[in-house]
Amino acid sequence: MKNLLIAQSGGPTAAINATVAGIVSRAYESKEVDRVLGALNGIEGVLEESFIDMREKIKSREDMDLLCQTPSAALGSCRLKLKDMKDANLQIEEIIQIFRKYEITYFIYIGGNDSMDTVDKLSAYLADHHINDITVVGAPKTIDNDLEEIDHCPGFGSAAKYIGTTFLELERDCHVYATKTVTIVEVMGRNTGWLTAAASLARVNGGRGPDLIYLCEIPFCNDRFIKDVEKQLRGNDSVLIAISEGIKYSDGQYVSEQVQSNFVDAFGHSYISGAARVLEDIIRNTIGCKVRSLALSLMQRCAGHIRSTIDIKESKLLGIKACECVLQGENGKMASLIRTSNFPYKIEITAIPVHQVCNHERRVPRSYINSEGNDITDEMMQYLFPLIQGEDLEIQYKNGIPRHLTLY
Amino acid sequence: MKNLLIAQSGGPTAAINATVAGIVSRAYESKEVDRVLGALNGIEGVLEESFIDMREKIKSREDMDLLCQTPSAALGSCRLKLKDMKDANLQIEEIIQIFRKYEITYFIYIGGNDSMDTVDKLSAYLADHHINDITVVGAPKTIDNDLEEIDHCPGFGSAAKYIGTTFLELERDCHVYATKTVTIVEVMGRNTGWLTAAASLARVNGGRGPDLIYLCEIPFCNDRFIKDVEKQLRGNDSVLIAISEGIKYSDGQYVSEQVQSNFVDAFGHSYISGAARVLEDIIRNTIGCKVRSLALSLMQRCAGHIRSTIDIKESKLLGIKACECVLQGENGKMASLIRTSNFPYKIEITAIPVHQVCNHERRVPRSYINSEGNDITDEMMQYLFPLIQGEDLEIQYKNGIPRHLTLY
């Protein structure tokens, strides 16, 4: 028996299940694959032998379509990172024993930075120990868009489309009153500002979009912020501002630090939120106009009802590629994509060594941010624009809400 | 010349411009109407003679369709309420002089409770002073769904569809980790829980939806809340909770009171937000599991990209009805709707005296809330279900984001 195992990890996206659909559809076509298993809750589910048979859950074209339009990880997720190398070996040996028990020849792990670290550790162990009959491959996903060696990450385009559309709608909403109002919107992004930059997509049809955009790549300065807002208020009644949740002062302190909850997740990342609230208070106490803050919070990563067709297609293609990589024994690879042309937008699906990706974080280049550090440049817009194209107008609704596929 | 003036007021919705489209399309057909004017920023724009010519802005079927899919008040809004009766008379006389100057025979004001008060005061003055050549009529809108004498308010259905869909997606997102987590979601509603109840629509296809729903109609009790959450956590890893922003303790104090910003809007309503954050702290300090709070904030009232077809159709029909009322001289009426059947869903468009509506607030009946006060009943579900039916699959996108029509 040669069985294929799939697992998902890290934060959910609206496109991660399209990658599962890509893997499953390719595996179903292959004579090299017997059972197709899904591990529940990522590598945790592997260690707990918590598996489901995908052929029992995804039987028809309709199931496949529904899986594609279901946001968030349908197989569940985890935040477990393999322990540092010495202990990791014990965990890896345990995982390999489980692979042997279930005759798992192929393992594909879908996730972001931390999940690619797991792929790297597992595949390196297999190589070091000359275990050639098990292949481990990564498939990328993250709304954060912070993976190296890939033009953009699956899931990002749909989140960007949600964010651009939401800023367009917020601009309409904020614009209605003829009173001076500042609205500060917090977008996800602990260390990288890609998602926040996507707020600028509200401008693609000529709208104003956000008046100011602050990414976490540029040290934040309260005084400059107040001056920026004052300047905007001179010309406009309503000022709409996008900020990354992870904006920091030049000394490295998070703006949100005074309100954050001290919660630390399993990867050791502190739980950041509340930067917009801090800035709301600053504007109230200095300028004194009407001011409010809001956060796009979990909605920006799970809004499956508004997704980019390009993103869903690419996510599926990367799943197919990851499946081909395991079938060809390309241990330690991650499916990736290269942009070969911007106008017209063209990509190539490829595969790269996962060690080039894991534990790195791709930050927004300085040239994508304007010199004042309060907006993006045309270069960023050219990068973002193709990623939100196409609407899922065939999304299936039932009883007035979208249909989803539940795997467990 | 017999000119028609339209203005919008109060909080924006995703459907309020469909009502403008209804009025305008009916007015264009009528030989009784010469110019069709729009006042910018509601009654404020009337007092400032800030008018636009609708025939110059809405020329084609395409413009009309775009107006319908544009969320938030395309003519702008205001929070101005006519002053108490003595001063109000001066303001009303000023308004009537402006009507005379611009030969305005017909005035339609689209709005909620406070806006209907303006319609009532204006129309009562006209009647009391036997001014028969000016007719003032109201057209309802409010996502809050709190108007009396109408089965449900235009704009509510689209907001309910957004909320139901978002809770469905949040449920997916919260479900992925196998760790005990409480997610508290704050929904708009200062005094009425209609919008919060719409979270239950996430269940219409068999999903769990929110595990607990607290409306502001039921006095909130911290101890009972903690017990409810503990009970849910015994059976589930992830607990999803919907609360109204305006939940209050039995002594009348808002739960949010310790964090609210003391901002008071022009209608004298205090600015409430932060109840979910208070409850987040309560759970953290008592149960101690992972807990987070978020708010659907402005997104729930301006998410034009996901609207209920029924809501948009009814909003347009109410605009047409309001226009017919002014043309027939039915001074002091508000266009309204009566539900004549639930299965199949049927409504009748009607008109009622606006004084029956203004300054009242329709709260959720006790029978729509379960006996424990932590969920809704089937009766509520039957009421809500028809209002979110139908998707705008023909919504026009351009460059990856929805197209909107800008009037000014």
Side-chain angles (χ1 to χ4, degrees):
Chain A
M1 293 269 274
K2 285 179 164 188
N3 298 331
L4 167 68
L5 178 66
I6 310 165
Q8 296 174 302
S9 178
T13 80
I16 187 170
N17 293 326
T19 302
V20 175
I23 298 168
V24 167
S25 62
R26 182 67 187 81
Y28 284 3
E29 283 169 11
S30 169
K31 289 175 188 164
E32 299 296 309
V33 181
D34 295 299
R35 296 178 72 196
V36 182
L37 299 174
L40 302 184
N41 300 112
I43 203 74
E44 273 180 27
V46 178
L47 287 162
E48 289 165 10
E49 303 175 38
S50 179
F51 300 131
I52 59 169
D53 189 324
M54 301 299 268
R55 290 191 206 266
E56 283 173 15
K57 300 286 180 174
I58 306 165
K59 294 178 181 172
S60 62
R61 172 67 196 264
E62 194 193 357
D63 291 343
M64 203 74 88
D65 288 347
L66 278 183
L67 179 64
C68 274
Q69 76 169 47
T70 302
S72 191
L75 288 167
S77 184
C78 70
R79 290 279 188 192
L80 186 72
K81 207 169 161 174
L82 291 185
K83 287 172 193 153
D84 58 87
M85 217 43 195
K86 201 175 161 199
D87 280 355
N89 277 357
L90 288 175
Q91 277 189 329
I92 290 169
E93 282 156 24
E94 197 182 336
I95 290 168
I96 291 173
Q97 277 177 19
I98 293 165
F99 284 178
R100 296 288 180 215
K101 181 174 169 187
Y102 289 89
E103 297 177 90
I104 291 161
T105 307
Y106 314 114
F107 177 50
I108 301 173
Y109 206 32
I110 311 170
N113 282 318
D114 294 309
S115 317
M116 290 311 122
D117 178 73
T118 297
V119 172
D120 188 45
K121 286 203 169 71
L122 270 174
S123 57
Y125 184 97
L126 293 170
D128 291 349
H129 294 76
H130 310 290
I131 303 172
N132 300 319
D133 57 344
I134 296 175
T135 304
V136 175
V137 159
K141 76 80 222 173
T142 167
I143 60 162
D144 291 331
N145 201 42
D146 61 354
L147 295 183
E148 288 284 2
E149 305 294 329
I150 184 166
D151 179 73
H152 57 276
C153 301
F156 173 68
S158 292
K161 190 181 187 87
Y162 170 84
I163 291 167
T165 298
T166 300
F167 269 85
L168 177 77
E169 293 170 343
L170 289 173
E171 182 196 336
R172 292 254 148 248
D173 188 283
C174 295
H175 182 61
V176 297
Y177 297 115
T179 45
K180 296 284 180 194
T181 311
V182 174
T183 306
I184 305 164
V185 184
E186 186 173 309
V187 183
M188 278 183 173
R190 193 180 273 118
N191 297 317
T192 63
W194 296 105
L195 285 169
T196 311
S200 64
L201 291 163
R203 299 174 187 151
V204 295
N205 296 335
R208 248 168 68 199
D211 300 292
L212 296 164
I213 302 178
Y214 299 97
L215 309 189
C216 44
E217 278 80 357
I218 303 287
F220 192 81
C221 167
N222 285 350
D223 289 344
R224 217 171 44 218
F225 170 64
I226 295 163
K227 279 190 187 123
D228 284 350
V229 174
E230 282 172 337
K231 189 177 168 193
Q232 289 294 330
L233 279 169
R234 282 197 286 277
N236 305 302
D237 280 335
S238 162
V239 175
L240 180 61
I241 303 170
I243 62 156
S244 302
E245 61 180 342
I247 47 170
K248 287 179 194 144
Y249 296 114
S250 55
D251 64 359
Q253 194 199 24
Y254 284 108
V255 170
S256 61
E257 214 140 300
Q258 47 195 298
V259 291
Q260 76 185 60
S261 60
N262 294 322
F263 179 80
V264 176
D265 76 13
F267 286 143
H269 305 143
S270 63
Y271 185 75
I272 303 300
S273 81
R277 271 187 276 151
V278 173
L279 300 187
E280 178 188 339
D281 283 342
I282 288 173
I283 296 298
R284 185 172 292 114
N285 296 332
T286 54
I287 300 176
C289 64
K290 181 178 173 185
V291 55
R292 62 193 159 191
S293 63
L294 54 113
L296 300 188
S297 193
L298 302 180
M299 288 79 84
Q300 66 201 295
R301 73 179 190 189
C302 67
H305 69 274
I306 179 165
R307 300 174 311 154
S308 151
T309 307
I310 289 278
D311 183 34
I312 301 303
K313 274 188 191 162
E314 291 176 349
S315 298
K316 201 168 175 182
L317 287 174
L318 285 162
I320 293 170
K321 180 68 179 179
C323 193
E324 284 168 354
C325 284
V326 281
L327 293 178
Q328 286 155 20
E330 296 189 43
N331 188 50
K333 288 284 180 71
M334 182 189 87
S336 183
L337 47 83
I338 298 166
R339 189 184 312 208
T340 55
S341 161
N342 234 350
F343 301 103
Y345 174 70
K346 284 184 192 165
I347 54 145
E348 263 174 30
I349 303 286
T350 175
I352 52 165
V354 73
H355 66 79
Q356 291 178 12
V357 180
C358 60
N359 301 313
H360 296 292
E361 238 175 2
R362 188 178 55 154
R363 311 194 76 197
V364 173
R366 188 61 187 85
S367 64
Y368 283 22
I369 306 171
N370 73 351
S371 58
E372 296 87 345
N374 61 15
D375 208 331
I376 58 120
T377 60
D378 285 350
E379 213 175 323
M380 171 66 100
M381 188 57 97
Q382 281 165 34
Y383 170 81
L384 293 173
F385 182 81
L387 311 183
I388 63 159
Q389 300 307 309
E391 290 75 44
D392 259 330
L393 296 182
E394 290 179 11
I395 187 168
Q396 293 179 56
Y397 280 76
K398 187 178 166 189
N399 293 321
I401 64 169
R403 289 183 70 191
H404 290 168
L405 186 74
T406 307
L407 292 183
Y408 73 100
Chain B
M1 294 269 275
K2 285 180 166 186
N3 298 332
L4 167 69
L5 178 65
I6 309 164
Q8 296 174 301
S9 179
T13 79
I16 186 169
N17 293 326
T19 302
V20 175
I23 298 169
V24 167
S25 62
R26 182 67 187 81
Y28 283 4
E29 283 170 11
S30 169
K31 290 175 186 162
E32 299 296 311
V33 181
D34 295 300
R35 296 179 71 196
V36 181
L37 299 174
L40 301 185
N41 298 113
I43 203 74
E44 273 180 28
V46 177
L47 287 162
E48 290 165 9
E49 302 175 38
S50 180
F51 300 132
I52 59 169
D53 190 324
M54 300 299 268
R55 290 191 206 267
E56 284 173 16
K57 300 286 179 176
I58 305 164
K59 293 177 180 172
S60 61
R61 171 67 197 264
E62 193 193 356
D63 291 343
M64 203 73 88
D65 288 346
L66 278 184
L67 179 64
C68 274
Q69 77 169 47
T70 302
S72 191
L75 289 166
S77 183
C78 70
R79 291 281 188 190
L80 186 72
K81 205 168 163 174
L82 291 184
K83 288 172 193 152
D84 58 87
M85 218 42 195
K86 201 174 162 202
D87 280 355
N89 277 357
L90 289 174
Q91 277 189 329
I92 290 169
E93 281 156 22
E94 198 182 334
I95 290 167
I96 291 171
Q97 277 177 20
I98 293 164
F99 283 177
R100 296 287 181 215
K101 181 174 168 188
Y102 289 88
E103 298 178 88
I104 290 160
T105 308
Y106 314 114
F107 177 50
I108 301 173
Y109 206 31
I110 310 170
N113 282 319
D114 294 309
S115 317
M116 290 310 122
D117 179 73
T118 297
V119 172
D120 187 45
K121 287 202 168 71
L122 271 174
S123 57
Y125 184 98
L126 294 170
D128 291 349
H129 294 75
H130 308 290
I131 303 173
N132 299 318
D133 58 343
I134 296 176
T135 304
V136 175
V137 159
K141 77 81 224 170
T142 168
I143 59 162
D144 291 330
N145 200 42
D146 61 354
L147 296 183
E148 288 282 2
E149 304 294 329
I150 184 166
D151 179 73
H152 57 277
C153 300
F156 174 67
S158 292
K161 190 182 187 85
Y162 170 84
I163 292 166
T165 298
T166 300
F167 269 85
L168 176 77
E169 293 170 343
L170 289 173
E171 181 196 335
R172 292 252 149 248
D173 189 284
C174 295
H175 182 61
V176 297
Y177 297 115
T179 45
K180 296 285 178 193
T181 310
V182 174
T183 306
I184 305 164
V185 184
E186 186 173 308
V187 183
M188 277 184 174
R190 193 180 272 117
N191 297 316
T192 61
W194 296 105
L195 285 169
T196 310
S200 65
L201 290 162
R203 299 175 188 152
V204 295
N205 295 336
R208 248 168 66 197
D211 300 293
L212 296 163
I213 302 177
Y214 299 96
L215 309 189
C216 45
E217 278 79 357
I218 303 287
F220 193 81
C221 167
N222 286 349
D223 288 344
R224 217 171 42 216
F225 171 65
I226 296 164
K227 279 192 188 125
D228 285 350
V229 175
E230 281 172 335
K231 189 177 168 192
Q232 289 294 329
L233 280 170
R234 281 197 286 277
N236 304 302
D237 279 335
S238 162
V239 175
L240 180 61
I241 302 170
I243 62 156
S244 302
E245 61 180 341
I247 47 170
K248 285 180 195 144
Y249 295 114
S250 55
D251 65 359
Q253 194 199 25
Y254 283 107
V255 170
S256 62
E257 214 140 298
Q258 48 195 298
V259 292
Q260 77 184 57
S261 61
N262 294 322
F263 180 81
V264 176
D265 77 12
F267 286 143
H269 305 143
S270 62
Y271 184 76
I272 303 300
S273 79
R277 270 186 279 149
V278 173
L279 300 188
E280 178 187 339
D281 283 342
I282 288 173
I283 295 298
R284 185 172 293 113
N285 296 332
T286 54
I287 300 177
C289 63
K290 182 177 172 184
V291 54
R292 60 194 161 191
S293 63
L294 53 113
L296 300 188
S297 192
L298 302 180
M299 287 79 84
Q300 65 202 295
R301 73 182 191 188
C302 67
H305 69 276
I306 178 164
R307 301 173 311 156
S308 150
T309 307
I310 288 277
D311 183 34
I312 301 304
K313 274 189 192 163
E314 290 176 350
S315 298
K316 202 168 175 184
L317 287 173
L318 286 163
I320 292 170
K321 179 69 181 180
C323 192
E324 284 169 354
C325 285
V326 280
L327 294 177
Q328 286 155 19
E330 296 189 42
N331 188 51
K333 288 283 179 73
M334 182 189 88
S336 183
L337 49 82
I338 298 166
R339 188 184 310 207
T340 54
S341 159
N342 234 352
F343 300 103
Y345 174 69
K346 284 184 192 165
I347 54 144
E348 263 173 31
I349 303 286
T350 176
I352 51 165
V354 72
H355 67 78
Q356 291 178 9
V357 179
C358 61
N359 301 315
H360 295 292
E361 238 175 1
R362 188 179 53 153
R363 313 193 78 198
V364 173
R366 189 61 186 85
S367 64
Y368 283 24
I369 306 170
N370 72 350
S371 57
E372 296 87 346
N374 60 14
D375 208 331
I376 57 121
T377 60
D378 285 351
E379 213 175 326
M380 171 66 99
M381 187 57 96
Q382 281 165 34
Y383 170 81
L384 294 172
F385 182 80
L387 310 182
I388 63 159
Q389 299 309 310
E391 290 75 44
D392 259 332
L393 296 182
E394 290 179 12
I395 186 166
Q396 292 179 56
Y397 280 75
K398 187 179 167 189
N399 293 322
I401 64 169
R403 289 183 69 191
H404 289 168
L405 186 74
T406 307
L407 293 182
Y408 73 102

